[in-house]
Amino acid sequence: MLLRSLLAAVVTTIALAAPSLAQQSGRELYERRCASCHGPDGAGREGLGPSLTGAGAAAADYQLRTGRMPLQNPQAQAVRKPSVFSEEETRLLVSFVASLGEGPPIPSVDPGAGDLSSGQSLFIANCAACHGAGGNGGAVGNNAAAPSLYASEPQTMAEAMVSGPGQMPVFGFSEQERNDIIAFISYLQTSEAPGGIDIGGTGPVPEGFVGWFFGLTGLVMVLVLLVGTGSSRAR
Amino acid sequence: MIRYVESRLGLDSWGRRALRKVFPDHWSFLIGEIALFCFIILVATGTFLTLFYRPDAAVVTYEGPYEPLRGQEVSAAFDSVMRLSFEVRAGLVMRQIHHWAALVFVASTVVHMCRVFFTGAFRRPRELNWIVGFTMLMLALGLGFTGYSLPDDLLSGTGLRIGYSALISIPFAGPYIASLAFGGEFPTENVISRLFVLHVMLLPGLTIALLGAHLAILWRQKHTQYRGPGRSESNVVGKGLWPYQALLSLGVMALTAAVLALMGGLVQINPIWLYGPFDATTVSAPSQPDWYMGWLDGATRLFPPWEPTVFGVTIPSMFLPAVLLPGLFFTVVALWPFIERRLTNDAAEHHLLDSPRDEPGRTALGVAGLLFFTVLTLAGGNDLIALTLDIQVESMTRFFRLAMFVVPPVGGALAYRICRQLRDSREHPLGRGSGVVLRRTEQGGFEEVPRS
């Protein structure tokens, strides 16, 4: 009797003290795929990966769903690629990273509630400097590039804004402002470019190339072919 | 009918002679015509745009069909360009043709000038026409810059702001000139209407006047021509105005119009709706000017931010790259016929053109100048090139700083050597006439001797 109650007490304490099953397998996954760079307890490793103790679920979800983590080369900028994890594994990893410390949770998004016009001005004022007015991406210095936004999902956009990945700053927008911006980026993604072929949408540099190498060079080539070097002889 | 007009106006013999006027029939003489036809297309499409454009900085609320801007406060100028782009029938295609034509216009003007430069067509008696042509290039740049600024979008506002800071950087007079030109401190309400007057009246008017002078002088002085059998300093070999040259020119015009219409119809240019209305506090990152201003942008990106103090006056860092550099460059270009005459002591009249190889020194200088210009232009897009090639922007800038000093002299020296070798080889690049002639020997056979 005594033995049984003792046993029961032990079992309950173990059950209460031990991490939940989900966290357990989240930790396992983490140790296998992430600890080499971010350290076994998420404190980070010099030159390999930053500390994740303040990263939060938003950062983890962003990095994992866009396939950026696990990184292959810690020196190079993380880029979007297909995710290596299943939906279930992603969720486990995200909640494990979130459990490492205080960090922004996954923000909720509702692009339908966004206001396009406010989104356009917020985007131009805050995002266009790096991602370009058309969202086609641009260089930001320090060997980093702001990627094109044409592949991003609304969820990713919101997470990028609250977690500030890589060289991107954290933006303290209200939920409404985030939805406005997301509505505008989604508009860019789905609307057809008025005026014909969108040549990179990055303005006068590609336009100059087309003007020279299609426009003028094309014209001159035709003239060279048709007129040539002249055949007239003196009479 | 024609005879009727001719006899009344006494144009009989003049007209007949005019129809027989001889034009050289080498393709390179047609590049100037491309520029001319681009200009005509610019005037035509520009007239259409003027019907709908409002040079007005008053603030209105955008209510048009482009959703992301609806409800925003924009200038009436911006609003009218949005209306042109989305509501006026054929407005967008006209805008796009106009903008493409402007890019190709300046490009063909530059290439035409290169042809004249490298073949020595500017030499006496044509120095005057070189200066007229050069002035037209300046007007073209002015037209381009003012036109680029008219939509009053974010990108053009950024361009204007840079223009303003370039003006203000001139020591002593800068602030006065800038405030005079802009009617106050940037941004002002006056600037749009001033740019408009410049863009649709003053600059095109001057261009048309100079164009008339350019062609009249050309007509009077007759064409230059390349060397060739039967061609001398005192004749012009080619085809008559009627029918050959007239039909050819019509063809060039149709071709130019076709290519520009194709580009305007198929390829997006200057999507101002993406940039949004001008707002003095915002800059969108890849903010570059049109290509012909890109070299100045590149120069300001490459020059270190020195602010030397001379005679107690601090020279703003914009002054060297954005005012002094183009000032010197353009002065040399404008005065080149006189500079070259000084250098070579050759004051004779020339109607036969040089092949670029015949004057290695001039060719080398021209190549070096073009390379300098090209390096600066590319540097103006350094962030985009860095992105495309996946290279750090900072290393791009360092590379261009080096290239600015290394590439032009190396390219020039290379051009010099190639010219010398070609000249010594006596072989014509176009394959006309080989370097040898056959001579009958006394025994009745043939032998090859180098052409003398």
Side-chain angles (χ1 to χ4, degrees), chain A residues 117 120 124 128-129 133 138-139 142-143 145 187-188 193-197 203-204 207 212 224 228-234, chain B residues 25-27 68-70 72 92 96 100 154 230-231 238 266-270 273-275 282 285 288-289 291 387 392-394:
Chain A
S117 180
Q120 196 273 347
I124 286 291
N142 284 327
N143 211 5
Y187 177 88
L188 285 183
I197 305 163
E207 289 165 6
W212 267 95
V224 172
T229 56
S231 50
S232 295
R233 294 266 176 269
Chain B
D25 53 357
H26 188 277
W27 62 268
L69 291 182
R70 213 178 283 156
Q72 290 195 26
L92 183 56
Q96 298 201 142
W100 283 121
L154 191 57
R231 300 179 183 203
L266 294 182
V267 191
Q268 185 189 69
I269 186 165
N270 199 20
W273 49 91
L274 286 182
Y275 308 135
T282 318
Q288 268 102 359
W291 75 262
L387 185 67
Q392 222 169 327
V393 186
E394 292 82 354

Side-chain angles (χ1 to χ4, degrees), chain B residues 371-382:
Chain B
L371 284 173
F372 185 66
F373 181 85
T374 310
V375 169
L376 290 185
T377 305
L378 289 176
N382 61 354

Side-chain angles (χ1 to χ4, degrees), chain B residues 126-318:
Chain B
R126 293 182 179 78
E127 313 97 316
L128 181 63
N129 228 9
W130 169 266
I131 298 225
V132 172
F134 171 82
T135 314
M136 279 199 287
L137 177 67
M138 294 299 103
L139 291 173
L141 294 183
L143 276 163
F145 185 75
T146 51
Y148 175 86
S149 307
L150 286 182
D152 200 25
D153 61 306
L154 191 57
L155 203 56
S156 72
T158 310
L160 265 186
R161 186 213 309 271
I162 295 174
Y164 179 78
S165 29
L167 270 186
I168 214 169
S169 77
I170 300 171
F172 303 111
Y176 304 105
I177 300 178
S179 128
L180 206 64
F182 282 71
E185 201 163 301
F186 184 81
T188 62
E189 296 112 60
N190 302 329
V191 68
I192 288 286
S193 49
R194 292 184 181 192
L195 290 171
F196 182 67
V197 173
L198 282 176
H199 187 76
V200 306
M201 272 178 59
L202 224 52
L203 298 177
L206 282 173
T207 307
I208 290 171
L210 287 181
L211 199 58
H214 201 61
L215 297 180
I217 295 175
L218 167 83
W219 190 280
R220 179 98 194 104
Q221 293 183 331
K222 306 204 170 56
H223 273 88
T224 52
Q225 61 184 341
Y226 289 105
R227 286 160 205 278
R231 300 179 183 203
S232 74
E233 291 281 3
S234 53
N235 69 357
V236 183
V237 177
K239 302 240 164 70
L241 172 59
W242 186 261
Y244 182 82
Q245 182 65 30
L247 292 182
L248 179 63
S249 293
L250 276 178
V252 176
M253 175 147 90
L255 186 71
T256 310
V259 168
L260 292 177
L262 207 65
M263 294 170 80
L266 294 182
V267 191
Q268 185 189 69
I269 186 165
N270 199 20
I272 57 154
W273 49 91
L274 286 182
Y275 308 135
F278 175 63
D279 165 13
T281 56
T282 318
V283 183
S284 108
S287 53
Q288 268 102 359
D290 275 341
W291 75 262
Y292 40 82
M293 291 287 171
W295 64 296
L296 295 178
D297 189 35
T300 51
R301 285 176 194 224
L302 292 190
F303 269 69
W306 285 333
E307 305 228 321
T309 305
V310 183
F311 300 123
V313 182
T314 304
I315 310 222
S317 60
M318 282 287 274

